[in-house]
Amino acid sequence: MKVIVVGAGVVGTMHAWHAVERGHEVVHIEREAEARGASLRNFGQIWVSGRAGGEELDTALRARELWEGIGARVPGLGFRAIGSLTPVRNDLERAVAEAATARPDAAARGYELLTADEARAVNPALRGAFEAALWCERDAAVEPRTAQLALREALLATGRYTFLPDREVRDVVGEHAVRDDRGETHSGDAVVLCTGAWLSGLVREVAGEIPVRQVRLQMMQTDPLGEPLTTSVADADSFRYYPAYASGALDALNAGQAQDPTAAAHRMQLLMVQRLDGGLTIGDTHEYEHPFAFDTLEDPYEHLTRVVESFLGRPLPRIRRRWAGVYAQCVDTTRVVHRQKVRDGVWLVTGPGGRGMTCSPAIAETTANELGW
């Protein structure tokens, strides 16, 4: 079988991976020289912590298993089974963490409520003030800026994979074929369009208006911290945004503890991961209304800096870079991904939202199973 994959972000690359793993030939087409969208502009977190129970959690746990297996074979992914800590500072926040540990699926996530001293034993860099921390053992990390490159190198080594950059697919031609902007037609037994946040043009032409929206975010990365940050770190604002934390305790938190005005205005939470070079990737904001701003705003960065420094008990290293990104999210956020047959033999897979890096291996595996690869 020959599979044509359009889009070289993490979702497209994982579709190529599963096709090659099953013995098929893959032609992988990317409109830029390298993927430059949300697949690179994220934390690199394999984030099980906040996933909704049921299909979303099952997908994340399966993806976590797949990431670990692929990471053992492709060291360039930088896979680390580091877990995460969410420090809490008062009774309202602690109650949300306690409710999470009482979930029926808490053991599958590796949830445990740690004292402050226990949390510091796990992550000694957290020298700031907090009362306790929610530990999630199943969380992990990879290097987002290089993961697709490492996977591609492994795919090329199989001899069954061809990468065609700088080609924008303009048309779906009949069944099982696409035509690029160089006028070349690429035919196979199946075509998978993994176009990320590109929802106009070809996507609108072949799929119409789909129930997927764009979301914009801001993030930053520091110079090396100078010491290990042994886990990823979130703050209690993350409880407000992830479905796993829905509970009466969360209702009480929302009613009794107003979010910082800057955090509320930009729908913010803290997520933080240390890169292999020692720098910290820190974010993020959420913007849903079009047209998106074309600039980055300083207030969110200043808020994140204050929160991080309060946990670390020390100043942040110099900010090395700031950026904005846009990802595609299903309007119905309970859906893990939008998977649509747009022509015979042609499928569109997009809209995982902030779950893309976490869930992409399992999303692609499901596509492969459904298409009978």
Side-chain angles (χ1 to χ4, degrees):
M1 175 182 287
K2 183 177 181 181
V3 179
I4 311 298
V5 178
V6 178
V10 69
V11 174
T13 302
M14 282 297 177
H15 278 81
W17 178 272
H18 279 286
V20 169
E21 281 288 283
R22 298 178 186 212
H24 306 310
E25 179 186 353
V26 170
V27 174
H28 198 178
I29 307 171
E30 165 58 36
R31 63 177 176 167
E32 300 194 70
E34 302 284 354
R36 292 166 50 84
S39 297
L40 280 74
R41 306 181 197 193
N42 66 74
F43 299 94
Q45 285 182 306
I46 316 306
W47 189 245
V48 174
S49 303
R51 302 301 170 204
E55 179 189 2
E56 184 175 339
L57 177 60
D58 292 344
T59 302
L61 288 170
R62 174 57 179 159
R64 167 66 171 78
E65 179 184 2
L66 290 166
W67 271 118
E68 186 165 13
I70 298 169
R73 296 170 54 190
V74 186
L77 290 179
F79 177 86
R80 289 102 70 200
I82 56 176
S84 72
L85 288 170
T86 304
V88 297
R89 289 176 159 149
N90 55 50
D91 290 344
L92 286 171
E93 294 176 1
R94 180 196 292 268
V96 180
E98 289 174 342
T101 64
R103 292 180 57 100
D105 54 21
R109 302 170 188 267
Y111 275 161
E112 184 179 355
L113 186 60
L114 305 182
T115 67
D117 286 343
E118 289 170 337
R120 292 189 184 100
V122 174
N123 192 338
L126 298 177
R127 300 186 185 92
F130 57 94
E131 293 184 1
L134 180 63
W135 164 248
C136 182
E137 180 271 337
R138 296 306 293 161
D139 289 335
V142 295
E143 292 300 288
R145 290 175 180 256
T146 57
Q148 278 73 248
L149 301 179
L151 288 168
R152 187 186 313 147
E153 184 177 349
L155 287 165
L156 287 167
T158 68
R160 297 193 305 277
Y161 173 85
T162 301
F163 181 62
L164 300 177
D166 292 317
R167 295 170 183 256
E168 183 173 314
V169 170
R170 293 287 181 83
D171 299 296
V172 174
V173 186
E175 299 178 6
H176 313 153
V178 295
R179 182 181 296 116
D180 66 29
D181 57 359
R182 302 186 185 204
E184 296 184 24
T185 298
H186 309 275
S187 301
D189 299 287
V191 175
V192 185
L193 306 175
C194 300
T195 55
W198 179 34
L199 304 176
S200 59
L202 174 72
V203 173
R204 184 175 294 130
E205 187 173 306
V206 300
E209 297 295 335
I210 60 176
V212 175
R213 63 181 177 180
Q214 294 177 320
V215 180
R216 183 180 186 268
L217 54 80
Q218 287 186 202
M219 297 175 62
M220 63 183 179
Q221 187 169 332
T222 72
D223 280 343
L225 182 63
E227 63 179 320
L229 187 77
T230 55
T231 72
S232 59
V233 177
D235 73 348
D237 276 340
S238 66
F239 293 155
R240 306 175 193 265
Y241 293 105
Y242 284 102
Y245 304 119
S247 64
L250 179 61
D251 294 339
L253 173 68
N254 287 329
Q257 180 173 306
Q259 196 173 12
D260 176 275
T262 298
H266 298 280
R267 299 177 177 90
M268 295 180 67
Q269 62 189 355
L270 168 70
L271 296 176
M272 176 169 63
V273 183
Q274 190 171 45
R275 302 271 64 91
L276 289 177
D277 70 357
L280 303 177
T281 300
I282 300 170
D284 62 348
T285 64
H286 299 88
E287 184 178 354
Y288 301 100
E289 301 300 324
H290 286 249
F292 292 145
F294 57 82
D295 43 17
T296 57
L297 302 177
E298 282 301 303
D299 286 354
Y301 292 120
E302 291 172 358
H303 169 78
L304 290 168
T305 298
R306 289 193 298 270
V307 174
V308 172
E309 291 182 344
S310 73
F311 285 149
L312 297 178
R314 54 165 284 185
L316 265 184
R318 182 181 70 95
I319 304 303
R320 177 187 298 175
R321 57 173 69 100
R322 308 170 192 265
W323 67 89
V326 177
Y327 60 75
Q329 178 189 61
C330 291
V331 174
D332 177 359
T333 57
T334 65
R335 295 181 60 195
V336 173
V337 73
H338 179 77
R339 188 181 287 105
Q340 178 181 346
K341 183 179 180 181
V342 296
R343 300 272 178 86
D344 285 344
V346 182
W347 290 77
L348 171 67
V349 184
T350 188
R355 296 170 287 222
M357 203 68 179
T358 295
C359 293
S360 55
I363 288 170
E365 181 182 58
T366 298
T367 302
N369 291 340
E370 290 186 358
L371 272 59
W373 292 359

